[in-house]
Amino acid sequence: MRVLDRYRLTILQSTPFCLPFTRPQKFKFGPFNFFTQKRFKKPVISARTRLEDRVRDPKLDKLVTSIKKLRTIFNLLELMLQRKRGPFVSVQLMSRWRNIVGLNIAIGGFIKKYPHVFELFTHPIRRNLCCRIRQKVRVLMREEENAVKECELEAVCRVKKLLMMSVSGTVRLHALRLIRTELGLPRDFRDSILAKYSGDFNLIGLEVVGLVCRDENLGVAQVETWREKEYREKWLSEFETKHAFPINFPTGFKIEAGVRDRLKNWQRLPYLKPYERKEVVRVRTCGGMERFKKRAVGILHELLSLTVEKMVEVDRLAHFRRDFAMEVNVRELLLEHPGIFYISTKGNLQMVFLREAYCKGYLIEPNPIYVVRRKMLDLVLQGCRSTGEFVTEKEVKEASDSLVYRTDGEGGRDGDWVIPIVESL
């Protein structure tokens, strides 16, 4: 009996306590009764996940890759033009600029990829390898400068519109410098435009520009033209088009269940338009935050519409948050509306495009500045193709250098050996 009592006691101690009509708990060890509790974690939707899961546009991605190459070439050209010793630079000296420009390859290999932009030759005296800018590129650079001068009044209107969108009527000059090329402004726009048109702009201190008086004729957003066209041509009601934006989803975009209804309600949602002068209040009520975000979408849409090429780097838009009272995450807001904006991350650049302005990688409504810049981009994209003309030019030059000039049919003239050297420079 004592043996049975001891055995019963050991069984009671080993078996866990369980309530009646319930199953006993499983042991936490053993290959067949191992049990772990797994919890389902809700996937986090953030700007990073939206950026990774977005539908890509290969045409715009390819355009961004080409633009980065063009920017690298322009940085090299600026460094070459700063040299005042002559119209050429030695390749040995240019190799020191690799870190300044941001190249991962040797500078000589990069130059050889673009023979339509750079010309390599051997110096006739020092016998070292030198580089100079092609005449085609110089002509296009002058054309761009002339186009910027001709579009000076349009640039003035763009800056005035930016100041009208600002809550305080002022914008920092640092923010304008960051998007100077996008707005079509000259390099010295502070003296050539802001100081020249003192009746429209007022320089407050050293780094702030203000608007002297508002022009209500300019207070019409670019999207209003599209709304009027939709109202007249498609016979849509004013309720449908008064606060709507053009939506162009990329190819392959899958519309989930309920997205159409939410988008339809968002298109009808009223908001404070960019040029309206009212106090901006971030109301935390039903629809208040949506209106506040839609106002930010309208400001970003108008800012991209004012640019020459309808694209800006995403990081540079953040410098206008304080002036335009946009207390939102700009990158996340852009990714929430893939039918209006597109962010490309090719070439370590986060560039935002206005979808309605582009078709198959080209601007639908080009302007003079965009046409010249596109010519320069096409010249870069030619690469090593169509280089036969440079070979013929070199042959003609060598033939002219080998000529022996004679006077009265006897001998060569003094100084004939200097002419080929001067012509080669």
Side-chain angles (χ1 to χ4, degrees):
M1 292 296 293
R2 291 179 180 178
V3 176
L4 292 174
D5 290 339
R6 288 178 183 177
Y7 183 74
R8 187 185 301 169
L9 185 61
T10 54
I11 291 173
L12 290 173
Q13 289 178 355
S14 61
T15 55
F17 174 77
C18 58
L19 295 173
F21 305 103
T22 59
R23 294 181 180 180
Q25 295 181 1
K26 294 183 179 181
F27 292 103
K28 295 184 179 181
F29 58 88
F32 300 105
N33 53 12
F34 183 77
F35 176 76
T36 55
Q37 186 179 5
K38 295 182 180 180
R39 295 182 179 179
F40 175 74
K41 291 185 178 181
K42 187 178 180 181
V44 179
I45 300 175
S46 61
R48 183 176 180 179
T49 57
R50 286 196 181 99
L51 191 64
E52 293 173 353
D53 299 339
R54 75 190 188 282
V55 179
R56 309 298 176 92
D57 192 331
K59 298 291 184 182
L60 295 180
D61 287 343
K62 186 178 180 181
L63 178 61
V64 172
T65 306
S66 305
I67 287 173
K68 186 180 180 182
K69 295 178 183 177
L70 183 63
R71 287 186 177 184
T72 306
I73 290 172
F74 265 117
N75 293 334
L76 272 176
L77 294 179
E78 287 182 2
L79 292 172
M80 292 177 68
L81 293 174
Q82 289 175 3
R83 301 284 299 177
K84 298 181 180 180
R85 292 188 177 182
F88 60 90
V89 182
S90 65
V91 178
Q92 183 180 4
L93 177 62
M94 293 179 69
S95 62
R96 304 175 188 175
W97 300 342
R98 196 180 73 169
N99 295 331
I100 301 175
V101 177
L103 283 176
N104 297 326
I105 61 174
I107 199 77
F110 180 80
I111 291 172
K112 290 179 181 178
K113 288 183 178 180
Y114 306 102
H116 292 274
V117 181
F118 303 103
E119 181 182 358
L120 291 172
F121 67 98
T122 303
H123 197 277
I125 299 176
R126 298 179 181 177
R127 311 305 298 175
N128 60 341
L129 192 62
C130 297
C131 176
R132 58 188 166 198
I133 306 171
R134 293 276 183 188
Q135 189 64 27
K136 288 182 180 179
V137 181
R138 293 180 180 274
V139 171
L140 289 175
M141 292 174 72
R142 293 194 204 99
E143 286 184 13
E144 185 182 4
E145 292 178 1
N146 296 333
V148 169
K149 290 180 181 178
E150 292 174 359
C151 302
E152 183 177 324
L153 294 178
E154 296 179 7
V156 171
C157 292
R158 293 190 193 104
V159 178
K160 289 175 71 175
K161 283 191 169 188
L162 283 177
L163 294 172
M164 289 173 65
M165 282 194 292
S166 175
V167 177
S168 59
T170 59
V171 172
R172 289 170 295 170
L173 285 175
H174 176 67
L176 287 179
R177 288 193 194 99
L178 291 176
I179 60 171
R180 175 186 64 82
T181 55
E182 285 81 359
L183 293 175
L185 296 174
R187 188 181 298 275
D188 57 339
F189 70 93
R190 176 169 180 167
D191 299 327
S192 61
I193 290 183
L194 300 182
K196 181 179 179 180
Y197 296 91
S198 57
D200 298 324
F201 307 112
N202 180 25
L203 290 172
I204 305 171
L206 297 175
E207 288 297 322
V208 179
V209 58
L211 188 64
V212 176
C213 60
R214 291 176 58 89
D215 188 0
E216 298 301 331
N217 296 326
L218 296 176
V220 180
Q222 295 287 336
V223 72
E224 296 294 340
T225 307
W226 174 84
R227 290 169 182 169
E228 184 180 354
K229 185 178 179 181
E230 292 287 306
Y231 178 75
R232 285 188 289 101
E233 295 183 359
K234 295 188 177 180
W235 293 78
L236 297 176
S237 63
E238 185 179 359
F239 178 68
E240 297 285 343
T241 59
K242 188 175 182 180
H243 304 286
F245 285 88
I247 303 294
N248 299 312
F249 287 113
T251 305
F253 183 81
K254 296 180 180 180
I255 301 178
E256 299 177 356
V259 173
R260 292 183 184 274
D261 295 335
R262 289 198 298 269
L263 181 61
K264 194 173 183 179
N265 295 331
W266 185 85
Q267 290 280 60
R268 296 172 177 175
L269 184 69
Y271 69 101
L272 187 64
K273 296 183 179 180
Y275 297 108
E276 290 183 0
R277 300 291 293 176
K278 291 182 182 179
E279 186 179 358
V280 181
V281 182
R282 189 173 182 174
V283 184
R284 295 186 179 273
T285 58
C286 182
M289 284 298 298
E290 292 296 325
R291 289 189 179 93
F292 185 81
K293 288 185 177 181
K294 191 170 183 179
R295 173 188 171 271
V297 171
I299 290 176
L300 293 174
H301 185 280
E302 182 66 13
L303 179 58
L304 286 170
S305 300
L306 293 176
T307 57
V308 175
E309 299 175 273
K310 315 304 179 189
M311 63 178 181
V312 184
E313 284 190 35
V314 178
D315 295 336
R316 298 180 181 181
L317 292 175
H319 293 269
F320 293 91
R321 288 178 56 192
R322 186 190 304 174
D323 298 326
F324 294 160
M326 296 187 301
E327 298 178 6
V328 294
N329 188 340
V330 177
R331 184 181 287 102
E332 187 173 354
L333 186 67
L334 294 172
L335 290 169
E336 286 179 2
H337 301 277
I340 304 176
F341 310 106
Y342 176 71
I343 294 181
S344 176
T345 56
K346 284 289 184 180
N348 295 328
L349 283 177
Q350 287 197 4
M351 195 82 69
V352 56
F353 291 85
L354 196 62
R355 278 199 176 276
E356 64 190 77
Y358 276 86
C359 179
K360 296 182 180 180
Y362 289 88
L363 201 63
I364 297 176
E365 297 179 0
N367 50 73
I369 301 177
Y370 169 79
V371 171
V372 178
R373 291 177 181 175
R374 189 71 202 191
K375 288 180 182 178
M376 301 181 77
L377 186 61
D378 294 339
L379 196 66
V380 171
L381 293 178
Q382 285 187 10
C384 296
R385 297 188 297 269
S386 304
T387 56
E389 52 182 294
F390 303 138
V391 177
T392 54
E393 288 179 4
K394 187 176 180 180
E395 291 175 354
V396 171
K397 199 169 187 178
E398 290 177 354
S400 63
D401 292 347
S402 61
L403 290 176
V404 178
Y405 296 93
R406 297 181 178 276
T407 306
D408 297 330
E410 296 181 359
R413 296 180 300 180
D414 294 337
D416 282 346
W417 61 276
V418 182
I419 294 175
I421 298 176
V422 176
E423 290 180 349
S424 65
L425 298 177

